[in-house]
Amino acid sequence: MYNYLNHNNILVGDQCGFREKLSTETAIYTLLNNVLSSFDRRNLVGCLFCDLQKAFDCVNHEILLAKIKFYGISGIANKLMVSHLENRYQKVSENNSKPNKLSSKWVHVKHGVPQDSILGPLLFLIYINDLSLSINQLANPILFADDTTIIISNTIPEEFKNNINSVMTEITNWFQSNLLTMNCNKTHFMQFLTEKQHEKKIEIIAPNSINTNINSTKFPGLIIDNSLSWKDHIAALTSKLNKACYAIRSIKLFLSVDLLIYFSYVHSVMSYGIIFGGNSHPSNSIFKLKKNNNNHYKYQ
C-alpha cells in the first residue's frame, strides 16, 4: 500500500514523517529555507505551530476508510483495511491471578490507530493527507506526522494578518470536519524578524486564544528563535553537554569511558542539527566545550 501511494504521488510532499529518505532535518530545512527566502524578498513571514490533542487516538475509522477508498485503494487491500478497523472491541482488566480481578465492559472501538505499529503511522498519513490541500493556496504547510507547522508570508502587512486568520479558519474547519482537536494552549504563532523589521501586532481569531508573543519555539529537536540567531538553542545545548561531560568525568573514575558512551551522550547531541546552526557565532561555545573536554576521553 505504501508503494502504491508513493508510485501514484498520493501522499503530499509537505509530509516528512514516517517516509523513506525524509526526516526531521528535512522539515527543519524546509522551514528555514522558506523563512530565509521570505527575508530575501523582504516579506513579512511567520509560522503557526499547531498542537493536536492525541491525534493518533482520535482518528475516526469511518472517515479513514472513506479516505482509503477515495485514494483508490480497493479490492483485497481495501477489505483488509476494513477487517483491520471495523468491529474491534477492547476492555481493560487487572493483570493478576486473583479470582475476582476487576475488568471493564467490552467497548466498540471506533477511533484510533496504534502509533507504535507498522501500519498505524501509514494510516495516519492517509488520514491527514488532505490537510495541506485546504491551505496550500494561502500558506506553506510542513507536516511531520501529527506536528503541523504553517508558514505564512506576504509583503503587505494587512494581507499578512488576513492570511494568518484565513489559515486559522481553514485548519479549524478541517480539524472539526475530521474530528481532531487543536490544543490552543500549546498552539502558537511566531513572527520571524530581520534586524530592520519590527514585529507586527497580530490578533488571531480562534476558538480559544493563541499565543502570539513568543520569541522562540521547539521544532523537531531544535530551539528556533525569531531572528534565527540560534542563541537559545546553543544555550540549551551547552547546558545539556556540560551535564553529559560532568557525568562522563564522574564515571571515568570507576569505569572506562568507551566510544559507545561518548557517542550516546555527547556526539549525538552535539551533531544533531549542526548543519543548520553550526556556522552561527554562538556555536563557538560548543566547539570550545568539546575542545576543553577532549583530554577526558582516552580514545581522542
Side-chain angles (χ1 to χ4, degrees):
M1 190 163 68
Y2 182 80
N3 290 335
Y4 165 80
L5 294 171
N6 275 334
H7 181 73
N8 293 280
N9 295 319
I10 292 174
L11 295 178
V12 293
D14 306 318
Q15 178 62 260
C16 301
F18 305 119
R19 301 184 67 183
E20 188 178 352
K21 297 180 181 179
L22 298 177
S23 65
T24 55
E25 292 190 341
T26 310
I28 296 166
Y29 168 78
T30 304
L31 172 66
L32 296 178
N33 185 57
N34 271 274
V35 171
L36 292 173
S37 296
S38 295
F39 283 167
D40 289 341
R41 296 192 300 269
R42 298 183 180 180
N43 282 5
L44 298 170
V45 59
C47 283
L48 188 63
F49 298 89
C50 303
D51 182 82
L52 297 179
Q53 292 182 353
K54 299 181 178 180
F56 278 77
D57 295 333
C58 294
V59 171
N60 180 272
H61 293 171
E62 185 178 348
I63 296 174
L64 175 58
L65 288 172
K67 291 188 179 188
I68 289 173
K69 185 177 180 180
F70 173 79
Y71 289 130
I73 299 171
S74 57
I76 295 176
N78 185 274
K79 290 179 180 179
L80 285 172
M81 292 301 100
V82 172
S83 175
H84 178 69
L85 294 170
E86 286 189 344
N87 298 319
R88 293 286 180 176
Y89 293 82
Q90 69 179 21
K91 72 173 183 178
V92 179
S93 61
E94 288 183 310
N95 186 21
N96 57 48
S97 58
K98 293 180 181 179
N100 297 321
K101 65 180 180 180
L102 299 175
S103 65
S104 66
K105 295 181 179 180
W106 287 102
V107 178
H108 187 197
V109 179
K110 299 180 181 179
H111 298 81
V113 290
Q115 187 172 357
D116 56 351
S117 67
I118 295 175
L119 188 59
L122 179 58
L123 293 177
F124 185 81
L125 295 189
I126 294 173
Y127 194 81
I128 205 171
N129 192 58
D130 58 310
L131 170 60
S132 291
L133 303 178
S134 67
I135 56 172
N136 59 9
Q137 298 298 319
L138 297 168
N140 297 316
I142 304 171
L143 307 177
F144 191 85
D146 59 334
D147 291 332
T148 305
T149 303
I150 304 167
I151 306 169
I152 301 106
S153 177
N154 202 294
T155 307
I156 304 170
E158 284 305 313
E159 290 189 9
F160 177 61
K161 295 176 183 179
N162 291 337
N163 283 355
I164 295 170
N165 279 296
S166 296
V167 167
M168 177 57 72
T169 300
E170 290 294 333
I171 62 171
T172 300
N173 291 338
W174 190 93
F175 289 143
Q176 289 175 349
S177 299
N178 289 271
L179 304 182
L180 296 177
T181 304
M182 183 170 63
N183 186 350
C184 290
N185 292 328
K186 294 184 179 180
T187 297
H188 50 271
F189 177 83
M190 183 170 74
Q191 184 179 346
F192 290 91
L193 302 168
T194 63
E195 292 181 356
K196 297 181 180 180
Q197 287 180 328
H198 299 286
E199 188 173 2
K200 302 295 180 182
K201 185 178 180 180
I202 306 293
E203 293 184 7
I204 298 179
I205 301 172
N208 293 299
S209 61
I210 302 294
N211 187 4
T212 61
N213 188 29
I214 64 168
N215 297 319
S216 64
T217 188
K218 288 185 177 181
F219 189 74
L222 302 181
I223 300 175
I224 297 179
D225 60 271
N226 62 354
S227 62
L228 299 183
S229 68
W230 299 99
K231 289 181 180 179
D232 294 341
H233 177 70
I234 297 301
L237 188 60
T238 302
S239 175
K240 193 171 185 178
L241 288 173
N242 273 325
K243 292 176 182 178
C245 291
Y246 174 78
I248 289 176
R249 288 197 298 269
S250 299
I251 66 172
K252 189 173 181 290
L253 300 173
F254 310 99
L255 300 171
S256 61
V257 179
D258 58 16
L259 284 171
L260 180 61
I261 295 176
Y262 170 76
F263 276 95
S264 297
Y265 293 96
V266 178
H267 184 81
S268 61
V269 174
M270 183 174 59
S271 60
Y272 178 72
I274 196 171
I275 191 174
F276 303 114
N279 198 37
S280 63
H281 178 70
S283 65
N284 290 335
S285 61
I286 300 296
F287 297 108
K288 289 179 181 178
L289 176 66
K290 181 178 184 299
K291 184 177 180 181
N292 291 337
N293 283 277
N294 275 352
N295 61 334
H296 291 286
Y297 312 117
K298 64 181 181 181
Y299 48 84
Q300 293 183 322

